Amino acid sequence: MNTILIRASLSPDPKLLSTNSNVDRFAFNNFKPHLPQRRRFPHRRHRFLLRHLSKPNFTLSSCLQAASPNPIAVAAVQEEPRAAAAEASVLFDVSGMMCGGCVSRVKSVLSADDRVHSVAVNMLTETAAVKLKAEVGEEEAAESLAGKLTECGFEAKRRASGMGVAESVRKWKEMVKKKEEMLVTSRNRVILAWTLVALCCGSHASHILHSLGIHIAHGSYMDVLHNSYVKGGLAMAALLGPGRDLLFDGLRAFRKGSPNMNSLVGFGSLAAFTISAVSLLNPDLQWDAAFFDEPVMLLGFVLLGRSLEERARIRASSDMNELLSLINTQSRLVIASSENDSSGDTVLGSDAICLEVPTDDVRVGDSVLVLPGETIPVDGRVLAGRSVVDESMLTGESLPVFKEKELTVSAGTINWDGPLRIEATSTGSNSMISKIVRMVEDAQGHEAPIQRLADSIAGPFVYTIMTLSATTFAFWYYIGTHIFPDVLLNDIAGPDGDPLLLSLKLAVDVLVVSCPCALGLATPTAILVGTSLGARQGLLVRGADVLERLASIDHIALDKTGTLTEGKPAVSSIASFKYKESEILQIAAAVESTASHPIANAILNKAKSLDLSIPVTKRQLTEPGFGTLAEVDGLLVAVGSLEWVHEHFQRRTDRSEILNLECAICQSSEGITPSNYSKTIVYVGREGEGIIGAIAISDSLRHDAEFTVTRLQQKGIRTVLFSGDREEAVATIAKAVGIGKEFIKSSLTPQGKSGAISSLKAAGHHVAMVGDGINDAPSLALADVGIALQIEGQENAASNAASIILLGNKLSQVVDALELAQATMAKVYQNLSWAVAYNVIAIPIAAGVLLPQYDFAMTPSLSGGMMALSSIFVVTNSLLLQLHKSESARKN
């Protein structure tokens, strides 16, 4: 086949050539590649080769600079507009949000600005995340938006980004201290409020005791408490004392056009007090409507409920506090002479100097000493020492992990037994624990789609309740008491059956019993607990929307290599037509010397174990999912799949010879059990000769692979196996884990995996993809939920593209993540159902719907107590999610 090739002027004697930018594979001069007809293109100048370097399906490197995985494949799949890349995000700390109505108001104020693209507001964490439109000045917009929120009664400040570890921990400690001080203040208010309740309602207690035959609590002291003026004074003390902040905040919010829960309680309390005061000071009106005890009891119940709710909220964020407490702000920096420092025989040399410095001052490459019982301050690798390390806070694994020289450790884990000297590989805000904290904060700042429903209800909720309250008063005063005159016999109408008193109390009931707080808290409390709990179990979730999507998944696609298998392949056999095994291995290792794929590592490790000298390569070209090309000893060598290697050389090897090669490989495998191992064959081809040999790479099955697939299938989820490997190898693994033949897709390119995901989504399925490498990145980004296993604590294109990262590198964590998502969303639905049902039932009862038929009506104080209990129920129900245990925890 004749193909016109393009010469790439990358060296004095170039051999790498390319076709047009649409071509997925490369050919080289000095031979004629056998490419499909559609890959023919006219000659172009070499500058067009640069276009290929931006394509996600290959990387180009020389022997001096290795190609590294790059997550640009993700961008190619997501196909977002270029302008989106220029969008900036701003995070605000917003105070003053009390209920769902406040959240809706903050969101509407921010969204009304033309510079804002999207907004997410979290009442629990008191944050607002704003994504600005492209070409908008970030600093100016942030200052302006913060000013607008502050003017509306929600004090806002932009959160500083890029803070060091010490600054982040300091901010966190300040926030914890502030919340503890608020709890103390809240407790004191509750004590004072209930003291006033006891004094104001003491007369009622004396009547109850007297009816029971207990003749105490009589005398001049109790007569004073019976005095209406004294009760009025106690009510005023309650309003201006413990209830002052609540009252003023509600009035301020109403004046600025954003009434909240405090507005409803404030109006109810003021209405009760005002009517009572007017009735007392103007006896000629004959209202007989002095009920000063009602606003006192109302404030007592509300403040008690608010205090309990605040305690529950702080407890809900306790998991996040535990994560932050793992960050070590101080490190022991080891300074030693270069010759002793490099030996690694001792943890601390005789001439070494150990300095205690802020962790922010530690740089990559520095040595750090960690003593037993201390938290490791940086990510790194062990230079000297042996110990066991508790990694449960990052991976969810309860058993400690043994560490010695050359093994990696993560910041935030705890050294148990012996001292370790560690070389820092990432420090400060770039460490794993810092990234986890940031990602959990980001996740809690995202909204679940179902939250938008709650916000749409909570937004106009307060105005609706005020309208219903006015309507209730008008109905009972002008109509109801005339249609149902017997209602005036109820105690709520007073001893003389006053229609005005009855109407006012029912109107106040409606104001007070309604609870927008429960609607506002329903979703964020469950998400806060769920994401924090996930982080403790080694599940890093990138947003509340991810949990909602994962809970509805019906198909899970699994990659084979590195996902179902251990991802630690080893060379099991080598075969060749006319060369020694060592020669085949030698040139294959040379080609793979700068690649980072597990198969490349297996070939290199085998060559090193045999002490083979590895030739130098001049250039290298890698196509993820296909193979690698390089120039070795003046000839081009390809290592990869059969078809890919075959098509790059003019000389084609006979099919019979290839079959003989495969038979030889299978017969010489070193004790491989087909049911427990995946065998992949890579072929080696050389310019002028075609295929000259083959190398079998075997990878053991993960110990939890079969269990994971079985559990997913028991939950009614279809499991599909994707792989770029040949059909026989994929079928062997599928059979071992229990995946049917109809759910196997083999010999897939990265684009093929993306296409398979798209097909499943087009069929109406909700698809999750589990992978671990750069070739999985497009599929992870395209799936409804991408789940990446993080190998040895290192970030890669897969973890960058994924929605969920499994820090424990255990496949069974897929089941843990699914169960956590389902449990979290179950709490969300329970909370929302309760919040809606409570208001739908409680508001009509408070308005007196049961009064004519059943002679039942609530008092304002009872309404206030019910409202407080409603919010407490939602938060407490979310806290029960902390009792959720992962599959591995239940097994242990």
Side-chain angles (χ1 to χ4, degrees):
M1 182 182 298
N2 296 322
T3 305
I4 301 175
L5 302 173
I6 305 170
R7 181 176 299 273
S9 300
L10 300 177
S11 68
D13 183 24
K15 289 198 174 187
L16 295 176
L17 295 106
S18 169
T19 55
N20 182 280
S21 61
N22 291 326
V23 181
D24 293 330
R25 295 165 174 73
F26 270 67
F28 294 82
N29 62 351
N30 299 342
F31 63 93
K32 294 181 180 180
H34 293 265
L35 298 173
Q37 186 66 30
R38 64 181 179 87
R39 299 184 184 273
R40 293 182 177 180
F41 294 92
H43 182 72
R44 306 286 171 91
R45 284 186 288 178
H46 71 274
R47 70 173 182 267
F48 283 93
L49 178 62
L50 298 177
R51 296 182 181 178
H52 291 284
L53 301 181
S54 64
K55 298 293 284 183
N57 61 332
F58 74 91
T59 55
L60 184 65
S61 68
S62 68
C63 59
L64 297 177
Q65 183 177 359
S68 60
N70 194 313
I72 55 175
V74 182
V77 177
Q78 292 173 325
E79 297 180 355
E80 293 184 353
R82 292 185 180 180
E87 291 176 352
S89 296
V90 182
L91 184 64
F92 295 99
D93 290 313
V94 184
S95 60
M97 293 187 289
M98 306 299 298
C99 61
C102 300
V103 173
S104 179
R105 176 63 175 167
V106 170
K107 188 181 294 185
S108 63
V109 169
L110 294 174
S111 300
D113 196 294
D114 294 336
R115 296 167 294 185
V116 173
H117 179 269
S118 59
V119 179
V121 181
N122 191 307
M123 180 175 66
L124 280 178
T125 57
E126 297 183 323
T127 56
V130 178
K131 183 177 286 186
L132 301 173
K133 293 180 180 178
E135 311 302 328
V136 171
E138 185 176 335
E139 295 294 334
E140 181 183 352
E143 184 177 350
S144 173
L145 292 172
K148 287 184 178 181
L149 288 179
T150 302
E151 289 175 4
C152 292
F154 305 99
E155 186 179 349
K157 292 188 296 184
R158 184 182 181 184
R159 180 176 294 182
S161 59
M163 291 188 298
V165 169
E167 183 67 12
S168 298
V169 173
R170 186 185 67 81
K171 291 276 188 183
W172 163 66
K173 288 182 177 178
E174 286 180 356
M175 182 185 68
V176 172
K177 183 179 179 181
K178 181 181 176 182
K179 288 186 175 181
E180 289 175 350
E181 291 174 351
M182 289 174 59
L183 280 180
V184 173
T185 303
S186 176
R187 182 190 63 196
N188 294 338
R189 285 176 182 167
V190 170
I191 293 173
L192 178 56
W194 278 92
T195 300
L196 294 172
V197 169
L199 292 173
C200 195
C201 301
S203 59
H204 299 298
S206 65
H207 292 313
I208 294 173
L209 291 173
H210 183 71
S211 64
L212 295 175
I214 304 173
H215 301 287
I216 61 172
H218 289 280
S220 58
Y221 173 73
M222 295 305 299
D223 290 339
V224 170
L225 293 182
H226 281 277
N227 187 285
S228 296
Y229 288 97
V230 173
K231 287 187 176 183
L234 292 174
M236 181 175 290
L239 289 170
L240 299 180
R244 180 185 56 192
D245 290 344
L246 183 150
L247 185 65
F248 287 173
D249 178 76
L251 295 175
R252 190 185 309 113
F254 180 76
R255 181 172 57 84
K256 293 187 176 182
S258 54
N260 55 21
M261 189 67 233
N262 288 347
S263 302
L264 296 179
V265 175
F267 287 146
S269 302
L270 282 176
F273 178 81
T274 302
I275 296 301
S276 299
V278 171
S279 175
L280 178 64
L281 298 174
N282 295 276
D284 294 339
L285 295 175
Q286 297 182 349
W287 281 5
D288 193 22
F291 51 103
F292 289 111
D293 53 338
E294 293 294 353
V296 178
M297 294 183 66
L298 169 61
L299 289 174
F301 277 116
V302 170
L303 290 174
L304 176 61
R306 191 70 55 82
S307 179
L308 294 174
E309 179 187 323
E310 188 62 33
R311 288 180 181 274
R313 287 193 197 184
I314 292 176
R315 187 178 171 190
S317 60
S318 61
D319 287 337
M320 187 66 181
N321 295 342
E322 286 185 28
L323 281 176
L324 288 162
S325 67
L326 297 176
I327 299 179
N328 198 339
T329 59
Q330 294 293 117
S331 302
R332 290 188 178 86
L333 185 64
V334 177
I335 308 295
S337 59
S338 58
E339 57 271 14
N340 290 335
D341 187 53
S342 61
S343 65
D345 296 330
T346 59
V347 175
L348 200 61
S350 57
D351 63 340
I353 299 175
C354 192
L355 303 174
E356 188 164 326
V357 300
T359 301
D360 289 327
D361 293 344
V362 178
R363 300 290 178 259
V364 173
D366 287 346
S367 293
V368 175
L369 176 66
V370 184
L371 299 179
E374 292 184 340
T375 301
I376 296 174
V378 296
D379 295 342
R381 65 183 182 91
V382 178
L383 293 177
R386 304 175 71 185
S387 182
V388 291
V389 174
D390 180 7
E391 297 183 340
S392 59
M393 62 289 299
L394 295 183
T395 64
E397 180 58 56
S398 58
L399 296 177
V401 181
F402 177 73
K403 298 292 182 182
E404 60 179 351
K405 186 176 180 181
E406 297 301 326
L407 294 180
T408 59
V409 292
S410 297
T413 56
I414 301 173
N415 180 26
W416 275 11
D417 282 353
L420 294 173
R421 182 156 58 92
I422 298 166
E423 179 186 8
T425 56
S426 61
T427 62
S429 58
N430 291 321
S431 66
M432 178 55 62
I433 184 64
S434 297
K435 291 177 180 177
I436 290 173
V437 170
R438 286 199 301 273
M439 290 177 69
V440 172
E441 286 180 337
D442 291 343
Q444 293 172 352
H446 283 70
E447 285 183 336
I450 195 171
Q451 175 66 20
R452 297 171 196 150
L453 172 62
D455 289 345
S456 64
I457 298 173
F461 187 87
V462 176
Y463 288 113
T464 304
I465 294 303
M466 289 180 177
T467 304
L468 287 175
S469 177
T471 304
T472 299
F473 174 82
F475 172 79
W476 285 111
Y477 188 70
Y478 294 107
I479 303 173
T481 52
H482 300 291
I483 299 177
F484 309 107
D486 291 344
V487 299
L488 296 176
L489 300 177
N490 190 281
D491 291 342
I492 198 173
D496 298 329
D498 191 342
L500 177 63
L501 183 60
L502 179 140
S503 303
L504 284 172
K505 284 190 174 183
L506 292 178
V508 171
D509 283 346
V510 173
L511 280 177
V512 174
V513 79
S514 59
C515 189
C517 289
L519 276 171
L521 292 170
T523 300
T525 50
I527 295 301
L528 177 69
V529 176
T531 51
S532 300
L533 182 61
R536 287 183 61 190
Q537 295 178 355
L539 309 171
L540 208 49
V541 183
R542 291 188 187 269
D545 53 331
V546 175
L547 288 174
E548 185 170 349
R549 294 199 305 270
L550 181 60
S552 61
I553 288 298
D554 55 22
H555 276 65
I556 290 185
L558 300 163
D559 178 49
K560 181 179 74 71
T561 305
T563 302
L564 283 177
T565 63
E566 290 285 355
K568 299 176 182 178
V571 174
S572 57
S573 61
I574 304 170
S576 176
F577 295 126
K578 53 184 178 180
Y579 294 100
K580 295 180 180 179
E581 292 183 3
S582 59
E583 293 181 74
I584 297 296
L585 184 62
Q586 203 170 17
I587 62 173
V591 173
E592 301 283 14
S593 59
T594 57
S596 58
H597 193 276
I599 289 179
N601 293 334
I603 293 174
L604 286 169
N605 292 337
K606 184 67 174 180
K608 290 177 182 178
S609 68
L610 298 177
D611 293 326
L612 298 178
S613 60
I614 300 177
V616 176
T617 57
K618 290 185 178 180
R619 282 172 299 277
Q620 185 196 57
L621 180 141
T622 301
E623 281 192 74
F626 293 101
T628 305
L629 279 163
E631 183 181 337
V632 182
D633 297 330
L635 296 174
L636 292 167
V637 178
V639 179
S641 63
L642 176 62
E643 293 78 8
W644 187 79
V645 174
H646 223 178
E647 72 177 8
H648 278 79
F649 298 102
Q650 181 179 10
R651 179 171 176 177
R652 308 297 293 272
T653 306
D654 292 339
R655 185 62 186 170
S656 59
E657 293 182 352
I658 293 176
L659 290 174
N660 292 335
L661 197 62
E662 290 181 353
C663 290
I665 280 285
C666 293
Q667 291 173 2
S668 61
S669 291
E670 300 171 358
I672 300 301
T673 306
S675 61
N676 296 326
Y677 285 80
S678 165
K679 184 188 293 183
T680 300
I681 300 177
V682 294
Y683 294 85
V684 182
R686 187 155 59 184
E687 183 180 350
E689 298 179 77
I691 293 177
I692 59 174
I695 301 174
I697 310 291
S698 297
D699 192 5
S700 60
L701 194 65
R702 286 180 182 264
H703 70 278
D704 56 353
E706 184 178 0
F707 164 79
T708 301
V709 172
T710 301
R711 288 290 291 124
L712 291 174
Q713 292 173 347
Q714 288 173 350
K715 291 178 175 293
I717 297 175
R718 287 278 178 84
T719 51
V720 184
L721 180 56
F722 289 171
S723 177
D725 207 346
R726 57 196 179 89
E727 185 176 354
E728 295 81 0
V730 179
T732 300
I733 290 295
K735 183 179 180 181
V737 299
I739 298 178
K741 291 183 179 180
E742 65 273 22
F743 301 114
I744 298 174
K745 294 185 180 296
S746 58
S747 303
L748 291 177
T749 64
Q751 292 80 7
K753 291 181 181 179
S754 298
I757 294 288
S758 298
S759 299
L760 287 172
K761 292 177 67 176
H765 298 298
H766 301 283
V767 186
M769 171 71 189
V770 186
D772 69 310
I774 186 173
N775 60 324
D776 299 321
S779 304
L780 291 170
L782 188 62
D784 293 302
V785 178
I787 304 175
L789 291 96
Q790 185 152 304
I791 311 286
E792 297 180 355
Q794 300 298 316
E795 286 190 356
N796 54 29
S799 58
N800 288 334
S803 308
I804 298 175
I805 302 174
L806 309 182
L807 298 177
N809 189 27
K810 295 184 293 185
L811 191 60
S812 58
Q813 286 186 299
V814 174
V815 179
D816 296 342
L818 180 64
E819 291 182 342
L820 177 63
Q822 292 173 340
T824 301
M825 293 313 300
K827 289 298 179 187
V828 169
Y829 294 131
Q830 289 169 15
N831 290 346
L832 285 174
S833 299
W834 164 263
V836 172
Y838 165 81
N839 284 289
V840 168
I841 296 173
I843 292 174
I845 294 176
V849 71
L850 299 180
L851 192 55
Q853 184 73 25
Y854 300 100
D855 194 32
F856 175 80
M858 294 191 296
T859 62
S861 56
L862 176 60
S863 299
M866 289 183 60
M867 180 272 293
L869 289 175
S870 176
S871 296
I872 293 171
F873 174 87
V874 167
V875 179
T876 304
N877 188 47
S878 296
L879 284 174
L880 293 177
L881 187 60
Q882 291 181 328
L883 301 178
H884 172 81
K885 292 185 178 180
S886 64
E887 187 81 32
S888 56
R890 290 198 297 270
K891 288 170 66 178
N892 291 335

